[in-house]
Amino acid sequence: MFTVKPDCSSKARIAVRRSPATFSGAGKSRRSRLRVPELRVNGKGSVRAVISSGDKTLEAASPLESKGESNGSLGSLRGGGIEVRAVVTVRKKMKEKLAEKMADQWEFFVNGFGQGIIIQLISEEIDPVTNSGKSVESSVRGWLTRPLTNSHIVEYAANFTVPSDFGCPGAILITNLHSKEFYLLEIVIHGFDEGPIFFPASTWIHSRKDNPESRIIFKNQASLPSQTPPGIKDLRREDLLSIRGNGKGERKPHDRIYDYDVYNDLGNPDKDEDLARPVLVGEERPYPRRCRTGRPPTKSDPFSESRIEKPHPVYVPRDETFEEIKQSTFSAGRMKAMLHNLIPSIAATMSSSDIPFKCFSEIDKLYNDGFLLKDEEHKDIVENPLVGRMMKQVMSIGQTLLKYEIPAIIKRDRFAWLRDNEFARQTLAGLNPVNIELLKEFPILSKLDPAVYGPPESALTKELIEQELNGLSVEEAIEDKRLFILDYHDMLLPFIKKINALPGRKSYASRTIFFFNKTGFLRPIAIELSLPPTPSSLRNKLVYTHGHYATTHWTWKLAKAHVCSNDAGVHQLVNHWLKTHACMEPYIIATHRQLSSMHPIYKLLHPHMRYTLEINALARQSLINGGGIIEASFSPGKYAMELSSAAYKSLWRFDMEALPADLIRRGMAVEDSSMPCGVKLVIEDYPYAADGLLIWSAIQEWVESYVEHFYSEPDSVTSDLELQAWWNEIKNKGHHDKRNEPWWPKLNTKEDLSGILTTMIWIASGQHAAINFGQYPFGGYMPNRPTLMRKLIPRENDPDYEKFILNPQLTFLSSLPTQLQATKIMAVQDTLSTHSPDEEYLGQVNPLHNHWINDHEILKLFDRFSARLEEIEEIIHQRNKSNHLKNRSGAGIPPYELLLPTSGPGVTGRGIPNSISI
């Protein structure tokens, strides 16, 4: 008789006692007895294994086993091996049609008889005969009948007879014999003395008829490439190869292929010549890469990809699609947007032109009354066969779905948006707090070509500015760091002529000067609005200041509205779409293509990649596409993505996307080694930056400790082949048009790696939250942040000047977006500001992903990160109560909560999701 000691270390063996007496009667050895945990699903849907040392048998055997049809009792020997059990957890759809329910019952039945799912355990040890990992195979034969609190989760069992020298399983091959895919949550292997071994999946398993290759699932042990157990090295490599694709072929819905393509799918020239859009690629129009779909080119333009319009989905790798809860929430938001668009559209068809707001009470009706059309008033429309059915559906739904919530910006103080100090406050604590800069030099000069755009000097003169500086000179104010600027001149002026040629669009390139006085208030003191020079006027720069009589009072309001319009466009197209959504996509594609799911950096980044490719694909389909909502509702119109590309070319660089680096670049902070994050804010009461630095430092500490844990050896970063390939691919493929820039960080040390990862996680979480979830709270009241202007400011020689003098309010309102444009963008902002019920927030783990890593030290570090975020949440609450922080407290001021880590579902104006998921 001999004994092999059971262990699941790298030299693991399964416990086997050859003597049959060992397994008989009350004298069983505790070592040899199989301990099968009871599986329970908690109220949140978490599958947990509850170990009980007293368990002697599996409490709920499958129906087949109860009939004596199992492969034998667990723990009994057969041919010198031991039997272990795999528990396979599958998630069903929550809402199923009758046919789907019947199909599920059939699959349930087929699985029970071992004809639906085949799983193969692969050992971490090499089989000397095959020179690959040892393997054993079995079919799922039976379902576990234990009642589960989550009715959408089903558990199946498979039994294996494992040889005594098998070692510890490191991977599972799973083959789906059904005709359709299923969603695999995890597989847990029971029978080893250490307790259950977890194989987290959370993935769709394709049908063998769609792809004959089996899926590879690795256990929850993080391993660098050099640490990969020999038995699964080949599988690690094969799994990555199966994901990369080869840049050929059209992708099918079941595919999990991550590949790159250019932004060539925004236009639709086959439908309408006016919907043709340039491809964003190369030196002239550089842009990050997107996920490749492989659709054929358009007939009109061989360089543009043909489009798929709603409701048909754009391809993303299968596991990137919205889960059912998220899909339902997003669909509800789209439905709401449709309803809001429908009614003003019908109203517009009854008029010769789109309808502007004529008084502020008409805007208030959006929140108080909503859009409710009565059958008798619009009988001819309702009876129209093309719209009647939809109209009746709208009518039957009722009034509440057609009403907007009162946005936070006017909920406490209806007139806050009119004040200069609120206009300034929002540059620090609003929706777009990332463009204000310290004014470092004077005079202010343009970098644009003077031969094309006129003299570079600004019309904001020293004399004009000093009138507002309370006795200071410009030089003194600059020295004291009291002058700030919001400068969109050089970014926008090259587009202004084209924008102003569009119907219903009039725009300027703006500069706004702010003065930070000794009482700690920021106020705007001058606005410069520029048009391209004309042959008759090389200088076409207008300056506005806060006037003290009626006419200048209104022209100042109009000037501020034009600045807000510019700010809204730059926010949406540059800071929001480009710098978070579009720039994050190549990081996600490269992570899947080059880092194994076993890789510790993959495991770190995985929560921060959720849903991003899907929301980006939906944006290309409906938001940023030619003729889409962004073009229809924002100043740049059809030139929106060209503007975004120009900003990528001139402004974007990875090393400046780190929050401390960005603040220093803009002059909003100075280096100070004695301060957290090594920076000191120039304006202490800068809510976005102050709260952002707290979040940044928490992410940085978590990432540095995580990286230190896995990369403790001196050359471990440079010798990690997967990691180096990942970073090279991000630079050379994902951001191909900027691959030769000298500012790309090196990846030689663990400090380099920590900095890169902290930046990526900050962009996906805190940065996106700060500039996304305030869209409706700040933009839902159109006068506060008009997304476009339809008229230039009247001047004395203009035909409309007399109308302006007679009714300045009507001139102001008719310059804003029309009722149709306003309701459309409000509906979109409402949708984009909404948290899904299944949102996963920073510092939290999805209950179904509790077994994401088998490393107690990492789990302790993560708990510390979570606890720090809870502390930060309390700090932010206390800041919002402070009477000394005027930009986040005071009469009628909504507290700054965009960087509070957690939130409930809905439009809350707070909460930091792990990923860019909306």
Side-chain angles (χ1 to χ4, degrees), residues 705-722:
S705 60
Y706 187 99
V707 168
E708 173 65 34
H709 180 75
F710 288 103
Y711 292 92
S712 56
E713 298 299 321
D715 299 325
S716 51
V717 170
T718 54
S719 62
D720 186 337
L721 299 181
E722 286 184 7

Side-chain angles (χ1 to χ4, degrees), residues 28 71 254 261 264 307 336 346 348 352 360 365 373 435 555 589 591 664 668 687 698 735:
K28 287 184 182 178
N71 290 333
H254 64 267
D261 210 339
N264 63 351
R307 287 183 54 78
K336 191 174 179 182
I346 292 174
S352 59
F360 284 99
K365 285 182 179 179
L373 300 184
N435 279 109
T555 54
I589 297 171
T591 299
I664 292 171
M668 301 304 293
H735 286 273

